[in-house]
Amino acid sequence: MAEIQIKGVAKSFGAFTALHSVDMTISDREFMVLLGASGCGKTTLLRIIAGLETPTKGEVWIGGRRVDHLPPKERGIAMVFQNYAVFPHLTVFENIAFGLRMQKMPQAEVQRRVHRCAELMHIEQLLKRYSGQLSGGQRQRVAVARALAMEPEVILMDEPLSNLDALLRLEMRSELKGVLAESKTTAIYVTHDQVEAMSLADRISVMNGGHIVQSADPVEVYRNPAARFVAGFIGNPPMNFLPAEKVGSGRYRVAGTDVAGPDTDTRIDYAIRPEDLTLAEPGQGLAATIRVVEPLGAHTLVTCDVDGASFRAVIDSDSRVNPGDRLSLAPMADRVRWFDKETGLSVQ
Amino acid sequence: MPRYLPYLLLLPATVFLIIFFLYPFTQVAIESVTSNGEWSLANFQKATSHWKFGEAFKNTMLLAALVVPIQLVMSLTMATVVQKLQKGRSAILYIFAIPLGISDLAAGLIWLSIFEQSGFLNSMLVGLGLIEQPILYLSYQSPWIILFAIVLAEVWRATAIMMVIIVAGLGLIPREYGEAAEVFGATRWQRFYKVTLPMLRPSLQTALILRVILAFEVFAVVIALGGTQMPVLMSETFNWQFNLQDRGVAAAYAMVILAVSVLFTLIILRALHVPKEART
Amino acid sequence: MSDTATVAPSVRKAGRWVFVSGIVLLCVWTLLPIYLLMVNALSTPEEVNGFPKSFIPSFDLSSLRFFLEFEGVLNALWNSIRVAVVTMILSIGFGAPAGYALSRFDFPGKEVFRFLVVMTRAFPLPLLALPLAVMFLRVGLDDSVLGLALVHTTLALPFAVLITYSLFSGIPFELEEAAFTLGCTRFQAFRKVVLPLAAPGIAASAVFAFVISWNEVFAAAVLTIKNRTLTAFLMQSLDWSPLHLKFAGAAALVLPALIFIFAVRKYLFAMWGIANR
């Protein structure tokens, strides 16, 4: 049983604050993804959990045990590093066996575990090789096998796929998901890639500026972003925003159309995802002038001008459109979201 | 991780450098400006008023002025030539670097075997019938030949260290810059002069500082080839310390060497300064 | 290449010829003097002192035997080795931990230390022998192997620090962190991961320290009287020693240095060049 609790963890490097009092609970066997742009504090948080960094304030609990004062080796964790950190002076076998040997495990058990993990990661035929003879993808597999061999309660991964090329990344992603689901360990995974986050996570914690902005399951994060930052960060292309002018109780004027919205006195923005727009009869939706057309195969991305603001829509690739065309874009009413202009938080 | 660990690791080296570098240098400095337990410039007066001081100073400067520019040009040539090699690059580099391991005394003796009266130069010239009798080159009557032999020995021995630093420096310059310059129409010479050389400034800086300071310390080569015919600052320091047993004057000499070394270091740092913003 | 394409083939061929002969010339310039020294060392004393000289050695060992049997030479050789070995141990023993600290930690005072190390470069270090001669006399280190080795360590230590610094910087800290998460303490991670990876480079920098000490003349001549090193012995005997003694001695000085430089040739440029920046 390894539930992880982060209680008020903060970290500063000199004058720079990397983390502002973060609280988070990750339940046993959960796959948690920490998502954010570089410098948001996600890697710092992961390294604090691993014991590679000491928090300035706060507590870390793993499996009911307070661990923030313990060295990494006493925390029951294993870690996969961004550059794999496969030891160049050891064979693949010895790399996977490294942690087991540190525990002075009997040779037979070492053999058994190394072979089982190598099999799991499909690298049995590489056991005698050195890191220099491996491709990036193979090194990645060794790094994961080495972590799994420890049979840890928690497995920590720091951008493990970011150094692979696109195709390999796709392959490793689904493989990782399967292997980790089977191993029944709690996993924390750091990435800046939202697609990776969406596809792997049981729960995503979106981080920005040393804060956790939203922590929820992938669909929730996508559909109901808790803040404008999340709405802009998740989804490709990101959500569109338009200024809304209050014209009555719960009534707003957006780009020349009248829209129903939340009844609030704060100033708010209107937001809609590009794929939640449909082509409508003239006068039925938002009036848009196309500036750029990007056919993407399955659909076409158009960048338009709506009421002087840049605005994107994903439309069917059969609708032939050209720059300069005028469109009418109708938003799906239940997909419209509102965000506070000042705080950036979602308003309902 | 304990906070004091880095300090613990630095402690031995720091203590060592304080005891055996900072402290002795203060000692020489103090020694040079005291005589009979009082502050005085007597040591400097004694050193400079001796007829050999002017000679030694002139010779040291002259040697540095002759040797270092030749070495700079040679090491740059060697480094760029080696870069163009496709085959046998590492073998040639190793051959060029060999003198790096040879002491100045051995270098002096090696060139002595060429220039002495029964040496290889005379053997060759007589063998070719160019001269009839072996010539005495290294004599007080021909100080210019002694100087020439010393310059050759120094260039032979100490060009390697500059070349190694420059080769390593060239290795750090990405090829794209030269290729970009080529695309924009720079000739080979322009590429070297306008792209490579400016980007090489940090390496040139180190190489020159190292070489100039070593040039002021020239000692064993001079003794081996010139004996006492060609006084230099370092040999005079040795002479005052050992043969004349006057540590104060030796210390004054040391301060003179130190002063020119620091002065030239500052000049080189200034001349080849790379602004922080322009560093890669 | 645009500029070669416009040049006539004959000119290009001529350029190639100049290039190759230039390299050959530079190699001859480097190797010939060493060859000539070896010719002298491998000829009889009579041949060395005779005229004209042959450019091919007679492969006679009597000059070398004369040198080795000369009073004080074996002792000087032994002293040179001992001083160089102590210098090697001291400079790596003090320098490598400092290089490791510089490569792995950020801490207040780091720049001050780096400045101290780099500053040693602007000073004529053999001059240290002058004040240290007095100091050693007081503490009984005068004319001793350890005393000279301490001075040579001031020469070799800054290089050892900078070379090991670049060496350790080349080993990703991530590897050590991986070892931490796999159950290592800081010391175990160093021993099991960093040390095996850095060992060849550390050995190479130890060899450099050895060569620096082996070749040093001034401090050796100032600090030793009875316990001369080989350089000090040759230096002090220049006035009266016969030619064959000088050249055999020079050959004895050159040979180990050549072997050592050959042994570490792989590291010559990577370390020496970059550590010097």
Side-chain angles (χ1 to χ4, degrees), chain C residues 95-106 110-111 114 158-171 205 274-275 277:
Chain C
Y100 182 79
L102 289 181
S103 79
R104 288 296 189 254
F105 303 100
D106 266 318
K110 183 172 170 171
E111 285 311 307
R114 275 193 61 151
F159 283 104
V161 171
L162 294 172
I163 290 175
T164 53
Y165 167 49
S166 78
L167 210 62
F168 288 129
S169 301
I171 298 171
S205 43
I274 291 160
R277 285 171 67 93

Side-chain angles (χ1 to χ4, degrees), chain B residues 1 5-7 9-10 12-14 16-17 19-25 27-28 31 74 78 81 84-85 92-106 109-114 116-120 122-124 126 134 152 155-156 161 163-165 167-169 172 182 188 191 202-203 206 209-210 213 217 219-220 223-224 234 237-238 241-242 247 250-251 254 257-258 261-262 265, chain C residues 1-4 19 23 26-27 29-31 33-34 36-37 39-40 48-55 94 97-98 100-102 105 107-109 113 116-117 119-128 130-136 138 150 153-154 157-159 161 186 208 211 215 217-218 221-222 224-225 231 234-236 238 243 246-247 250 253-254 257-258 261-262 265 268-269 272-274 276-277:
Chain B
M1 178 197 76
L5 185 60
Y7 297 104
L9 293 170
L10 285 187
T14 313
F16 185 90
L17 286 177
I19 297 179
F20 293 103
F21 170 64
L22 289 183
Y23 172 73
F25 263 114
Q27 287 293 105
V28 217
E31 179 119 38
M74 267 189 77
M78 284 160 122
V81 158
K84 294 215 164 60
L85 275 180
I92 299 285
L93 268 180
Y94 170 64
I95 291 174
F96 286 179
I98 280 178
L100 194 66
I102 291 177
S103 82
D104 45 353
L105 179 59
L109 291 171
I110 285 173
W111 286 83
L112 180 68
S113 80
I114 294 170
E116 45 118 357
Q117 201 175 6
S118 64
F120 290 103
N122 274 330
S123 299
M124 189 180 78
V126 170
L152 277 183
V155 168
W156 177 79
I161 177 67
M163 183 211 57
V164 166
I165 294 171
V167 166
L172 294 177
E182 196 180 341
R188 189 171 286 205
R191 255 153 39 211
S203 302
T206 340
I209 290 174
L210 210 65
I213 288 166
E217 289 173 39
F219 175 58
I223 305 280
M234 209 64 174
T237 314
F238 186 78
Q241 170 92 2
F242 240 81
R247 292 210 322 266
I257 299 172
L258 181 63
S261 296
V262 171
T265 303
Chain C
M1 300 273 264
S2 59
D3 47 351
T4 46
F19 179 70
I23 286 186
L26 282 169
C27 288
W29 155 255
T30 311
L31 293 176
I34 298 176
L36 294 177
L37 178 71
V39 170
N40 266 335
V48 172
N49 291 292
F51 187 84
K53 276 205 173 94
S54 163
F55 281 77
F94 293 165
Y100 182 79
L102 289 181
F105 303 100
F107 51 92
F113 180 80
L116 178 68
V117 169
M119 193 174 71
T120 59
R121 222 185 258 167
F123 286 75
L125 290 172
L127 290 174
L128 288 172
L130 305 180
L132 287 175
V134 186
M135 187 166 129
F136 288 167
R138 259 183 307 189
L150 287 170
T153 303
T154 55
L157 182 65
F159 283 104
V161 171
R186 186 153 207 124
F208 284 129
V211 172
N215 283 341
V217 185
F218 186 89
V222 169
T224 61
I225 299 156
T231 49
L234 286 173
M235 164 81 205
Q236 306 263 4
L238 277 177
L243 285 175
K246 286 192 176 102
F247 297 141
L253 260 185
V254 166
L258 284 188
I261 293 291
F262 181 74
R265 66 194 179 284
L268 227 58
F269 293 87
W272 194 244
I274 291 160
N276 264 305
R277 285 171 67 93

Side-chain angles (χ1 to χ4, degrees), chain A residues 182-232:
Chain A
E182 207 170 308
S183 73
K184 301 190 172 103
T185 53
T186 310
I188 307 181
Y189 186 107
V190 161
T191 184
H192 65 272
D193 182 331
Q194 41 152 325
V195 182
E196 220 168 277
M198 300 286 289
S199 72
L200 286 170
D202 293 329
R203 191 146 59 99
I204 296 178
S205 288
V206 184
M207 294 186 68
N208 185 33
H211 295 279
I212 292 182
V213 187
Q214 185 174 15
S215 202
D217 70 75
V219 175
E220 175 71 11
V221 169
Y222 184 78
R223 282 285 171 242
N224 297 310
R228 192 179 165 135
F229 171 79
V230 181

Side-chain angles (χ1 to χ4, degrees), chain A residues 30-338:
Chain A
E30 189 175 22
F31 198 126
M32 166 66 91
V33 172
L34 303 180
L35 175 65
S38 67
C40 71
K42 58 190 193 299
T43 296
T44 306
L45 181 56
L46 188 80
R47 290 168 59 85
I48 286 173
I49 298 169
L52 296 172
E53 212 87 68
T54 330
T56 314
K57 265 202 302 249
E59 299 171 8
V60 179
W61 294 68
I62 297 177
R65 211 159 49 102
R66 187 171 170 187
V67 298
D68 47 78
H69 57 284
L70 296 177
K73 63 175 199 152
E74 285 165 42
R75 296 187 179 202
I77 54 126
M79 187 156 167
V80 178
F81 290 82
Q82 184 170 11
N83 300 305
Y84 322 134
V86 174
F87 303 129
H89 61 300
L90 300 177
T91 60
V92 169
F93 184 98
E94 284 305 323
N95 260 286
I96 302 175
F98 190 92
L100 311 178
R101 297 223 193 275
M102 291 309 299
Q103 296 173 6
K104 307 227 182 322
M105 192 172 281
Q107 179 64 19
E109 174 68 5
V110 171
Q111 288 276 352
R112 196 187 64 75
R113 281 217 206 170
V114 171
H115 282 288
R116 193 177 59 80
C117 294
E119 202 178 319
L120 207 62
M121 296 310 296
H122 309 293
I123 47 172
E124 307 103 302
Q125 73 288 0
L126 303 176
L127 284 174
K128 290 203 177 75
R129 300 233 188 130
Y130 287 91
S131 153
Q133 302 163 283
L134 303 179
S135 69
Q138 289 169 330
R139 267 177 233 176
Q140 175 63 69
R141 286 166 185 278
V142 175
V144 175
R146 183 173 67 182
L148 290 174
M150 299 289 284
E151 296 184 359
E153 293 181 306
V154 179
I155 189 161
L156 307 171
M157 286 168 277
D158 184 9
E159 306 247 11
L161 303 183
S162 64
N163 285 336
L164 300 179
D165 61 54
L167 213 63
L168 208 56
R169 202 180 309 166
L170 210 67
E171 183 189 319
M172 276 304 289
R173 198 169 76 196
S174 48
E175 211 170 306
L176 258 185
K177 188 166 188 172
V179 166
L180 286 172
E182 207 170 308
S183 73
K184 301 190 172 103
T185 53
T186 310
I188 307 181
Y189 186 107
V190 161
T191 184
H192 65 272
D193 182 331
Q194 41 152 325
V195 182
E196 220 168 277
M198 300 286 289
S199 72
L200 286 170
D202 293 329
R203 191 146 59 99
I204 296 178
S205 288
V206 184
M207 294 186 68
N208 185 33
H211 295 279
I212 292 182
V213 187
Q214 185 174 15
S215 202
D217 70 75
V219 175
E220 175 71 11
V221 169
Y222 184 78
R223 282 285 171 242
N224 297 310
R228 192 179 165 135
F229 171 79
V230 181
F233 191 75
I234 292 193
N236 185 21
M239 225 167 184
N240 293 305
F241 299 98
L242 289 172
E245 193 190 332
K246 186 165 182 173
V247 288
S249 166
R251 302 297 308 170
Y252 295 87
R253 191 150 186 84
V254 177
T257 57
D258 281 321
V259 191
D263 192 7
T264 169
D265 285 333
T266 55
R267 300 182 44 190
I268 55 179
D269 277 337
Y270 169 97
I272 181 82
R273 289 208 177 273
E275 58 270 34
D276 295 338
L277 292 156
T278 50
L279 289 181
E281 295 298 312
Q284 292 276 309
L286 302 161
T289 312
I290 300 184
R291 278 197 280 124
V292 182
V293 178
E294 296 167 78
L296 300 172
H299 43 252
T300 296
L301 175 63
V302 291
T303 305
C304 329
D305 202 282
V306 172
D307 200 23
S310 181
F311 194 89
R312 291 199 189 83
V314 171
I315 60 174
D316 196 278
S317 43
D318 283 341
S319 22
R320 303 285 164 149
V321 290
N322 292 301
D325 288 359
R326 285 166 183 281
L327 295 180
S328 199
L329 297 168
M332 292 157 73
D334 59 328
R335 296 282 168 84
V336 172
R337 298 293 177 266
W338 303 86

